[in-house]
Amino acid sequence: MANSTDFITRVRPAQFERLLAEVRACRICEAHLPNPPRPVLRASPTARVLIVGQAPGRRVHESGVPWNDPSGDLLREWLRIEREDFYDERRIAIVPAGLCYPGTGDSGDLPPRPECAPQWHPKLRAHLPAIRLTLLIGSYAQAYYLGSRRKKTLAETVRARDEYLPQFFPLPHPSPRNRLWMKKNPWFEREVLPQLRRRFKAVRMI
Ligand code: SF4
């Protein structure tokens, strides 16, 4: 006879699938997007790590695969993880602050649509009970999850990471456009990346 645990493990994936279908059918900010909505995310209720980035760029929008670009290559290098393991959604959930490509402005990709995170993150997060570490990549993810706990600059927020751990690990965006930031902040590579790798490895393998 099924016990309550069997019930939970059987029922949760179906509920989760329904939620994912709901997300994928979302049209809330369609009028502001340059293309028909195409939410790009990967998640499973067993995931231990949640990666919250900004929003898909054009290349990710076209492929439907998150972090499928030079920023993703650098993020995998930071985490010392192979592509195949990075995309194992049983361990790693990837849910950006804005799920659809917001378009491009004069100085690069536009910010994530502000409607998106409040609409979907609480619902998705409620279905990800095994998350032990959330990587907050870039200022939009940090603004949403840290709120007033965020420092004045991204560098200060990353430096203050121990205030947010073990739940959140704030990081800069690994975009090639941020190379100058990395150069100006050598402590990031020296101090933060080793800590990130240790923490990520420990949590992912639980
Ligand atoms: S960006 Fe978010 S809120 Fe807007 S249509 Fe896509 S999933 Fe919906």
Side-chain angles (χ1 to χ4, degrees):
M1 197 170 114
N3 63 31
S4 59
T5 310
D6 294 333
F7 178 75
I8 288 166
T9 51
R10 246 196 357 258
V11 167
R12 186 170 281 154
Q15 287 175 333
F16 192 69
E17 285 307 318
R18 274 199 293 279
L19 175 59
L20 285 182
E22 207 186 316
V23 172
R24 291 192 169 115
C26 180
R27 294 289 178 272
I28 286 174
C29 68
E30 184 170 22
H32 303 282
L33 300 177
N35 304 108
R38 185 182 196 192
V40 178
L41 72 160
R42 299 173 65 88
S44 159
T46 56
R48 300 285 201 274
V49 178
L50 171 61
I51 298 178
V52 184
Q54 186 164 310
R58 182 183 298 282
R59 205 163 139 179
V60 169
H61 169 78
E62 282 163 4
S63 69
V65 180
W67 296 103
N68 184 31
D69 54 12
S71 301
D73 292 337
L74 186 54
L75 178 60
R76 285 182 281 277
E77 202 180 304
W78 285 359
L79 298 172
R80 292 247 165 90
I81 187 171
E82 295 299 325
R83 208 180 148 84
E84 190 187 334
D85 294 328
F86 181 81
Y87 288 115
D88 181 355
E89 63 189 21
R90 294 169 305 171
R91 298 259 173 202
I92 299 178
I94 303 175
V95 185
L99 298 175
C100 299
Y101 170 55
T104 305
D106 292 339
S107 51
D109 284 349
L110 293 173
R113 286 302 310 170
E115 304 86 343
C116 198
Q119 171 66 29
W120 293 119
H121 274 250
K123 289 182 187 173
L124 287 162
R125 198 57 195 75
H127 282 76
L128 299 172
I131 296 294
R132 298 289 175 269
L133 175 67
T134 300
L135 307 185
L136 300 176
I137 300 183
S139 54
Y140 296 104
Q142 289 158 23
Y144 181 72
Y145 275 96
L146 301 180
S148 61
R149 296 170 68 207
R150 190 166 67 125
K151 309 295 177 197
K152 280 202 197 92
T153 66
L154 186 135
E156 284 176 52
T157 304
V158 176
R159 270 194 189 278
R161 62 199 175 278
D162 289 335
E163 284 181 30
Y164 314 119
L165 284 166
Q167 192 179 7
F168 298 117
F169 201 130
L171 293 166
H173 198 283
S175 157
R177 298 165 70 97
N178 277 345
R179 281 211 185 100
L180 190 61
W181 188 94
M182 312 284 169
K183 230 176 179 171
K184 277 190 190 159
N185 296 282
W187 51 270
F188 175 73
E189 211 166 323
R190 197 177 54 238
E191 296 163 23
V192 181
L193 287 187
Q195 185 183 5
L196 172 68
R197 286 170 185 147
R198 278 195 305 275
R199 179 90 196 127
F200 177 70
K201 188 176 177 190
V203 171
R204 186 167 69 93
M205 300 317 288
I206 291 170

